[in-house]
Amino acid sequence: MGFHLLGPLEVLDPTTGDSDATPRAAKHRVVLATLLVRAGEPVPTGTLINELWGDSPPRTATTTIQVYVSQLRKLLGLADSDEARQAIVTRRPGYLFRLDPGRLDLARFEELYRQGVAAAERQEHAEASELQKRALALWRGRFLADTPAGPLLSAEAARLSELRMASLEERIRADLRVGRHHELLGELQALTSEHALREELHAHLMVALYRSGRQAEALQVFSALRRTLVNELAIEPGPALQRLHQRLLSGDPRLLHPTEHAVLSPDTGPKQPLPEGPPHPDAWFTAREGELDRLVGLVRAGSSTTLVTGGPGTGKSALARQAAHLLADDFPDGRVLVDLRTAPSTGRADITERVLRALGAPAPLPDQLPARRALLGRLTEGRRILVVLDNADREQDLGDALPGPAGITTLVTARCVPGQLRPSATLRLELPGQAEAERILVAVGGPAAAQAAPGAVREIVALCGRLPYALGVAGARLTARPHWTATTLADRLRPEQTRLDELRLDELDVRTLLRHAYEECDAPERAAFRLLGILPPGPFTWDTAAAVLGTTPSAAEALLDGLVGHGLLTAEVLDRGSAYELPLLHRLLAGEVSEQEAAEIRHAALARLCEYYAEIAEWFGGTPTASRDRRPSRLADLVPGSTVAGPYPPHWLAEQQASFVGTVRAAADAGLWRHVLRLAGAVGGFLEATAAWDDWAVTQEAALDAAEATGDLAALARTLRSLGDLAWQRRQFADAFDRYDRARRAARQAGSDAEAARALAGLVDLCLEHGSPEEAERLAAEAQRAADAARDPRARFEALRCRALLALGAGRHLEAEELFSDCLKTAGELADRRLEAWARRAGRPAAPRSADSPGTFEGIETRPGVWRLHPGRHHPAGQAPQSRGVTLP
């Protein structure tokens, strides 16, 4: 299957040559063309949306893109079996078109053009002419003549139009060098009429006329061009054209030789030094040797435009300046630095002006962009110059601002790819490792950091999130305050509320740096960043973000990938998809800017997060190994058209434990009591099973506050019983008795027989601990009656468990075996593997383990993972019972 873009869009069947697979709908053509011009690389969904609808996408834009891609897959599948159907693949953050370059006319054109330039450099001019002719023959008209163009396709059209003209000029240049000046006259006269300001074409025409014996006409061409430039742009022709004019006036015989073409010959005269000095090495640059070697290698390998990307503060500028310093010998005609952030702009003309002034262009500069481009070409003609464009903005269009002539190399730094820029090489700068980060701090911090205890240096690095800019500011503060030690700085950085205030020194300010990246985002991305600050620290997935943002998973993913592009999020590819995370200092900024959101918006987002986490925890049944046939669907209720992704791996709950606890805390602080109760109740069993006592206490104390605040007696009973279980496992028997007793009373008031039974079971355990079997028997019977009334399997399990332990302790082994068997059946009803395993273990012996007395034994596992030693014995007052809580693997 072949694809033609150099003219009207065509999709051709290679066997028949038919174009039946060419999309007829305009929007389908736009999507296909956008994927083709970026063939071999992922195209973000946001780029496709912007190409189709610009700044006014419909609410269903992401879903519509999915439909268009599906329809394109079907359309291509009709024309060429599996290969076509597999051409468009989903690849985060969007879609990728797999394509053999030989099947795309655009790729063939660019390859032929490069081959032609290489042949010309080898002085093989006939071959160069033939290659450029073949390249130009691929054009059937204007690029994508029948397809609407958004920002990307418009920029591509401009780039290819320039490249097409460059190919034409290369062919004409080669034809002149093989003596075809007569054949070129008519073509050049038409071209100079069409491109009245293109000095190169006029130079070719002047040489062709001169060699054809028409010296006067050649001089008239120069005079006509000069009048046009002066009248329209108020500029004179460039130095090279003026030198050619002088040679024509003097009748220079060397111009009659085909190998002589003065316009394209390097300027052998003295070169003026550049007005701006070379970029100085950054004083903070250290470590980063691998990235520096790679960047220098890319430039030396011939990359004409190298882009260095990375989040704010990762050290892009320092790396680029250090590379420019090391490349001095490679660019003998100069290196210039243009900091695009010092005068923010989005216009191409403004950026071109900055570059022209850095290169020493005389004032006043031309007003029109074509004239500025022409002037840029004249200034850089025949020179080897490195131009560093530092701190480029996503909205800045660098397409026409970059120097283009051979010998000019551009190095661009930006947080994400600037508009319309197609670099020939890209280097992504990530956070340094721990050792490199410590080296940065020590290098900037001087003796105070170099002589500090390793622990203090490690802590400062951790508190700065390994962000090089923050480490530089921290080190600079140590240097500026000789009376400080590294421990002093660590103490000041430790409180999160004031950390960004401490990471500031004069004009150096981490908050300002991060906020600039935040403000560079578009409005939806900024709103997403603010709400993501609600998430607890740690990694999260796009479905979690969808719950917080209240949007579809695909829309959430597009927003997250946009924030990754701005360096405000990090992303890691996992088996289940990407895991995102707010870096440490970025999280602090998100917390600050989230205050811009109305309280009801933040609370709604937090409520959605609670419900999302709660459903997943409930799906697990509170145990990390539970198996369920169903998947949670709460996200579909929170966000129409969405589903929670699954299945989740068994270790997922453990990975999310800190997130659960942090969300419960945040919801309690916000007074979202109903959501606190649900989430705390959902995770309580898991925290108990893993002996996460501190987190268990935090969540249940929050739930207790919620139950009391709402007057929910059933929730109060449930929470008090859970806190009683925690106190019992911690061997805090007085607290356990108080909470079990309060739970029983609250359950009775609420009419909850299930919670009453479970609270009574806890009291039975306490009686057994303290040698009160008679009271235990009475309470166990009461628990059994409550469980029977409730018809709740878990309450029945607890009542059976207590009765089985009592029977075992009293030597009623057959009864104990039957009760343990009933426990096993009930655990099976609950589909709780942990309780099933306990019932098997506990019911196995059902016999005395010691000859001390008929009804005693060495020990027993009274609950899953909790053992009691020497049960049934009386413990004298004031003597702690010989029991302990043990969690089994």
Side-chain angles (χ1 to χ4, degrees), residues 92 541-542 572-579 647 649 651:
R92 298 179 187 278
T541 55
W542 52 262
E572 179 184 4
V573 178
L574 304 176
D575 292 340
R576 294 184 62 250
S578 297
H651 55 77

Side-chain angles (χ1 to χ4, degrees), residues 438-509:
E438 291 180 11
R439 287 173 58 193
I440 294 172
L441 178 64
V442 170
V444 182
Q451 299 169 12
V457 172
R458 282 195 299 271
E459 184 177 11
I460 293 172
V461 168
L463 293 171
C464 291
R466 304 203 317 275
L467 188 68
Y469 186 83
L471 293 170
V473 175
R477 293 203 73 188
L478 280 177
T479 303
R481 292 166 174 78
H483 56 287
W484 279 15
T485 65
T487 302
T488 304
L489 180 59
D491 291 341
R492 297 178 69 95
L493 290 175
R494 207 168 289 125
E496 289 190 351
Q497 297 83 353
T498 57
R499 190 176 306 165
L500 291 179
D501 294 326
E502 292 294 335
L503 288 173
R504 180 174 56 194
L505 180 67
D506 299 328
E507 74 279 3
L508 305 174
D509 190 347

Side-chain angles (χ1 to χ4, degrees), residues 23-31 52 146-148:
R24 299 292 180 255
K27 285 186 166 53
H28 289 78
R29 292 200 302 273
V30 171
V31 173
L52 284 169
D146 62 346
T147 302

Side-chain angles (χ1 to χ4, degrees), residues 3 42 70 184 241 264 437 447 549 570 591 631 644 719 783 791 825 828:
F3 298 90
S70 176
L184 289 172
L241 199 63
L264 302 179
L549 302 178
T570 60
R631 296 195 316 179
V644 176
T719 305
R791 297 183 180 181
K825 291 177 184 177

Side-chain angles (χ1 to χ4, degrees), residues 331-387:
F331 298 95
D333 297 317
R335 295 153 292 145
V336 296
L337 170 68
V338 178
D339 189 348
L340 298 179
R341 185 174 297 166
T342 57
S345 64
T346 57
R348 292 176 293 176
D350 293 336
I351 297 174
T352 309
E353 177 183 351
R354 301 284 305 281
V355 174
L356 285 170
R357 294 197 184 282
L359 294 173
L365 294 177
D367 292 330
Q368 299 182 11
L369 186 59
R372 293 189 179 195
R373 285 288 297 168
L375 179 58
L376 187 60
R378 292 197 298 271
L379 286 174
T380 56
E381 181 183 357
R383 309 178 79 175
R384 295 174 61 191
I385 298 173
L386 176 66
V387 177

